[in-house]
Amino acid sequence: MVRSMTGFGRGVTTTDDYQLTVEVRSVNHRFLEIQTKFPKEWLEIELLAKKLLSQFVIRGKLDVVVNLKINEQSVSNVQINWPLIDAYKNAKEQLENVLPLKEKWSMQEIFSIENAIIYEKKEISIEELKSAMEHALTEAANNLVQMREREGQQLASVLLQYKNDLEEQIHLIRKFSPNAVSKYREKLINRMKEIVDSNLIDERILAEVAIYADRVDISEELDRLESHFQQLTETLNEDTSIGRKLDFLMQECLREINTIGSKNQSSDASFAVVQAKTILEKMREQIQNIE
C-alpha cells in the first residue's frame, strides 16, 4: 500500500490523576528521523517512544510532542509556604512603620500571595508513565499511519494518471520516430542526384540510410520504458516502503527519455519528448513524498 510521508496523529491516556496527550507530525525525509520534546528527566520514556514509532514508520521526519496534565482532584496534601509568608509579614510590618496601615490580614489576602499555598500532588511512577506513554503513542501512531495511507492512495491515483499521460507521449514518439529515416532518405536522394551518377545512387543510399537508421534507432529505449511502466504499476501495489524504488524507476525513465531525445531527429517526436520530460518531473515531485 502506498503511504505518504506527511501526516498527523494524536493519542490520549486518561486516568483519575492525569491526562497524557501525545501528538506526532511527519513530513518527507530520506530516512527515519524522530525528534521529541520531552522533559529531560524522561530519557527512558523518550527511548521507548522512538523505538515504538520505528515499528510503525520506515521513512520520514517525525516531531513528537507530549503534554502531561495533572488533575486538580489528585492533590494529596496542602502545605503553607511559611518562609514566604514570614517574608511577606516582615515586609508589611516595615511598611506599617512608615505608613499608618492598621488593617488586619485576611485569608483572602494570604491566599492571593503567589506560591503561598503549596499543593503536593500524587507522584506518578516511571513505570506508570511508560505504560501511559505506550498506550497514547500507539494510538497516535495508528492515527498517523491511517492518515499517511489515505494521502498515499491519493498519490497513487495521481501517479497512475501521470503514467497514462506519459504512455501517450511514448506512443507518439514511437509513431513519429520512423518518419525521420524516411525524411533522411528523401533528402539524401535529392542531394546525391546532384553530385553522383544515377546508376550508383540506389546502392550508396541504402548503405547510408542503413547507417543512419541504426544510429537513430530508439526501439530498445522505448521497450525499456514500457518495462519501467509495468514495474511502476506493480510497485504501487507492493505492501512495503516503495519510495526509493519508485525514485530509482523515475531516474531510469528519465535516462531513457534523454537518450531518445539525443537520438531523435523528428520534430514531431521532439515535442513529445519534451512533454514526457515534463510529466516525469511532476511524477518525481510526487514520489518525493512517498514512504
Side-chain angles (χ1 to χ4, degrees):
M1 179 178 291
V2 181
R3 286 184 182 177
S4 166
M5 283 191 283
T6 302
F8 171 81
R10 186 173 184 269
V12 180
T13 298
T14 303
T15 70
D16 293 337
D17 299 327
Y18 60 87
Q19 182 180 78
L20 179 69
T21 304
V22 179
E23 294 181 346
V24 184
R25 294 175 175 84
S26 72
V27 294
N28 60 319
H29 197 270
R30 289 185 62 191
F31 308 104
L32 177 60
E33 180 180 327
I34 303 175
Q35 296 184 343
T36 57
K37 296 180 181 179
F38 289 5
K40 59 183 180 180
E41 62 270 16
W42 283 25
L43 178 59
E44 187 176 353
I45 296 176
E46 181 179 359
L47 295 175
L48 171 68
K50 290 183 176 180
K51 182 179 180 181
L52 182 61
L53 281 173
S54 65
Q55 298 174 9
F56 287 86
V57 177
I58 298 176
R59 292 177 64 205
K61 181 179 179 181
L62 276 60
D63 288 316
V64 186
V65 180
V66 62
N67 179 47
L68 181 63
K69 182 179 180 181
I70 305 297
N71 295 333
E72 295 298 331
Q73 292 81 358
S74 66
V75 174
S76 60
N77 195 12
V78 177
Q79 297 288 340
I80 297 176
N81 190 347
W82 287 112
L84 180 64
I85 296 296
D86 288 339
Y88 185 80
K89 175 176 174 294
N90 292 334
K92 188 170 183 179
E93 288 175 351
Q94 292 176 25
L95 188 61
E96 287 176 347
N97 292 331
V98 179
L99 299 175
L101 300 175
K102 297 301 181 182
E103 293 184 5
K104 294 183 178 181
W105 284 26
S106 66
M107 292 297 293
Q108 182 178 1
E109 181 181 2
I110 295 174
F111 281 115
S112 67
I113 301 173
E114 187 176 0
N115 297 323
I117 307 300
I118 301 173
Y119 299 93
E120 295 183 355
K121 299 181 179 181
K122 293 180 181 179
E123 190 173 325
I124 307 172
S125 69
I126 191 68
E127 292 302 321
E128 185 178 357
L129 277 176
K130 285 169 65 177
S131 177
M133 172 61 69
E134 185 173 0
H135 177 272
L137 192 59
T138 299
E139 181 183 358
N142 281 321
N143 290 333
L144 173 70
V145 169
Q146 289 176 12
M147 183 174 181
R148 284 163 64 118
E149 287 178 349
R150 288 195 300 270
E151 297 242 353
Q153 291 306 302
Q154 295 177 3
L155 285 173
S157 298
V158 171
L159 286 175
L160 287 174
Q161 182 57 55
Y162 279 144
K163 189 201 73 138
N164 293 336
D165 296 340
L166 191 56
E167 286 178 323
E168 290 181 9
Q169 299 305 318
I170 299 306
H171 173 73
L172 292 176
I173 293 172
R174 193 185 291 274
K175 175 182 176 181
F176 292 126
S177 58
N179 295 344
V181 177
S182 300
K183 289 181 179 179
Y184 179 77
R185 183 177 183 276
E186 182 180 348
K187 180 179 179 181
L188 193 61
I189 289 174
N190 294 331
R191 178 65 60 86
M192 293 185 72
K193 280 182 178 180
E194 297 175 0
I195 59 177
V196 181
D197 189 294
S198 60
N199 294 328
L200 301 175
I201 288 180
D202 289 343
E203 183 177 345
R204 296 191 61 176
I205 285 178
L206 287 174
E208 288 291 333
V209 171
I211 294 172
Y212 177 80
D214 184 66
R215 189 168 69 246
V216 301
D217 180 50
I218 58 174
S219 58
E220 289 187 9
E221 288 78 6
L222 292 172
D223 290 342
R224 282 196 290 268
L225 278 173
E226 294 293 342
S227 175
H228 294 332
F229 296 157
Q230 180 62 33
Q231 290 182 64
L232 172 64
T233 303
E234 294 173 355
T235 301
L236 289 174
N237 293 319
E238 291 180 6
D239 190 19
T240 184
S241 177
I242 61 174
R244 289 194 181 95
K245 184 175 180 180
L246 290 175
D247 189 52
F248 173 75
L249 282 173
M250 291 300 99
Q251 292 178 32
E252 290 300 299
C253 286
L254 185 59
R255 186 168 67 87
E256 303 297 346
I257 290 293
N258 284 333
T259 302
I260 290 172
S262 64
K263 288 184 175 183
N264 172 67
Q265 300 295 323
S266 167
S267 58
D268 293 324
S270 294
F271 180 77
V273 168
V274 173
Q275 292 295 99
K277 287 184 178 181
T278 302
I279 296 169
L280 274 173
E281 189 59 36
K282 292 179 180 179
M283 294 179 75
R284 291 190 69 181
E285 289 178 2
Q286 297 294 332
I287 286 172
Q288 296 307 308
N289 200 36
I290 293 180
E291 184 181 50

